[in-house]
Amino acid sequence: MHESLDLSQQECETLLRSGVVGRLALSTPDGPHVIPINYSVVDDAIIVRTSPYSLLGTYGRDSTLAFEIDQFDHEYHRGWSVVARGRAEFVTDPAELEHIRAVWQPHPWAAGARGMHLRLAWDELTGRRLGAAGNPVAELRIRRAL
Amino acid sequence: MHESLDLSQQECETLLRSGVVGRLALSTPDGPHVIPINYSVVDDAIIVRTSPYSLLGTYGRDSTLAFEIDQFDHEYHRGWSVVARGRAEFVTDPAELEHIRAVWQPHPWAAGARGMHLRLAWDELTGRRLGAAGNPVAELRIRRAL
């Protein structure tokens, strides 16, 4: 049995800024939901796109969300995860939307209208390494050009 | 831009029964949390282990949870996800615990006391294929011996 170790804030942030897909958890009157979604970190916030008619468009606004990324290596029984939590809000300011588009024109993998940008500026960022020793940042399978 | 297509109930269940790690979303007074966790499907329920002092041990009992598994192929911009939702409860019946241990002796990757078994018998099971065409069941990277 291996240790579970906390990642440093710097490691968490590097991993978060390197990712392209994660999972967003939100609370609804019907209980929690978890939604896999393309994302990017723009400045100091996670940005995702959604439609106003989606669950996320309906319940994700002005509420606390949890966003998770991870990578698991089943062969070696190890992996890491990073969770960012904070209050999310829709981006409505035209200058900010222009900046987001300039930094990251989002390319969702699935078709559909996703005209709304949701911004999650995290105030909690935690990460853990699970299982056998490894260096999460060095072993990233995919990495944004930073 | 590719289509997003629903998976059949049979595909969702096959994928769910084949996995070893997923993410559990729960609502707490502090907002939603998402927890990566080892799991197994025993009969018709997702079983995870936790400690009574964890977030999951505190807020996961007798409440609705959402459990997600996925696999993303970044190179080809495609993937799939399956979400199971339902009410979770702790397993306390000795005969049922014995059955769970016989079918799946859980091997969490991280050290720590996880003496409690939480059972999530889903009443919602949905799945989606994202991006380019592919066969999620045929392309499983890891598969339990069924």
Side-chain angles (χ1 to χ4, degrees):
Chain A
M1 185 63 67
H2 300 284
E3 304 256 359
S4 166
L5 291 174
D6 288 342
L7 299 178
S8 71
Q9 286 293 300
Q10 184 58 55
E11 286 175 306
C12 290
E13 202 173 317
T14 300
L15 292 164
L16 191 64
R17 288 183 185 277
S18 304
V20 292
V21 63
R23 298 118 200 134
L24 208 40
L26 71 163
S27 297
T28 77
D30 179 38
H33 284 262
V34 52
I35 300 164
I37 196 162
N38 288 122
Y39 79 103
S40 182
V41 175
V42 176
D43 301 331
D44 289 318
I46 294 160
I47 306 289
V48 300
R49 290 179 64 182
T50 189
S51 107
Y53 312 108
S54 66
L55 263 179
L56 191 55
T58 307
Y59 299 110
R61 173 180 216 147
D62 302 326
S63 64
T64 298
L65 302 183
F67 181 76
E68 191 259 7
I69 58 169
D70 61 41
Q71 191 170 291
F72 297 110
D73 186 335
H74 293 89
E75 193 176 353
Y76 295 101
H77 279 210
R78 70 183 181 187
W80 58 262
S81 64
V82 170
V83 175
R85 296 180 74 245
R87 208 161 173 80
E89 51 188 14
F90 281 115
V91 183
T92 52
D93 179 56
E96 190 176 349
L97 283 170
E98 197 174 335
H99 173 61
I100 289 170
R101 290 196 191 100
V103 175
W104 175 58
Q105 179 55 47
H107 295 290
W109 295 352
R114 291 188 180 72
M116 309 196 71
H117 291 71
L118 191 69
R119 176 185 50 217
L120 173 59
W122 62 87
D123 42 44
E124 273 181 52
L125 185 63
T126 55
R128 293 170 69 212
R129 197 147 60 71
L130 274 86
N135 181 334
V137 174
E139 290 159 15
L140 275 176
R141 283 195 200 123
I142 178 107
R143 190 190 283 268
R144 272 181 195 284
L146 292 175
Chain B
M1 186 63 68
H2 299 284
E3 303 257 358
S4 166
L5 290 175
D6 289 343
L7 299 178
S8 71
Q9 286 292 299
Q10 185 57 56
E11 287 175 305
C12 291
E13 201 173 318
T14 300
L15 292 164
L16 192 63
R17 288 182 186 276
S18 305
V20 293
V21 64
R23 299 118 200 134
L24 207 40
L26 70 164
S27 296
T28 78
D30 180 37
H33 284 261
V34 53
I35 300 165
I37 196 161
N38 287 123
Y39 79 103
S40 183
V41 175
V42 175
D43 301 331
D44 290 319
I46 294 160
I47 306 288
V48 300
R49 290 179 63 182
T50 189
S51 108
Y53 313 109
S54 66
L55 263 179
L56 191 55
T58 307
Y59 298 110
R61 172 179 217 148
D62 302 326
S63 64
T64 298
L65 301 182
F67 181 76
E68 191 259 8
I69 58 169
D70 61 41
Q71 190 171 293
F72 296 110
D73 185 335
H74 293 88
E75 193 176 352
Y76 295 101
H77 280 212
R78 69 183 182 187
W80 57 263
S81 64
V82 170
V83 176
R85 298 179 74 245
R87 209 162 171 80
E89 50 188 14
F90 281 115
V91 183
T92 53
D93 178 55
E96 191 177 349
L97 284 170
E98 196 175 334
H99 173 62
I100 288 170
R101 290 196 192 100
V103 176
W104 175 57
Q105 179 56 47
H107 296 290
W109 295 351
R114 290 189 179 73
M116 310 196 70
H117 291 70
L118 191 68
R119 176 185 50 217
L120 173 58
W122 63 88
D123 42 44
E124 272 181 52
L125 184 64
T126 55
R128 294 169 68 212
R129 199 148 58 72
L130 274 86
N135 181 333
V137 174
E139 290 158 14
L140 275 175
R141 283 193 200 126
I142 177 110
R143 190 189 284 266
R144 275 182 193 284
L146 293 175

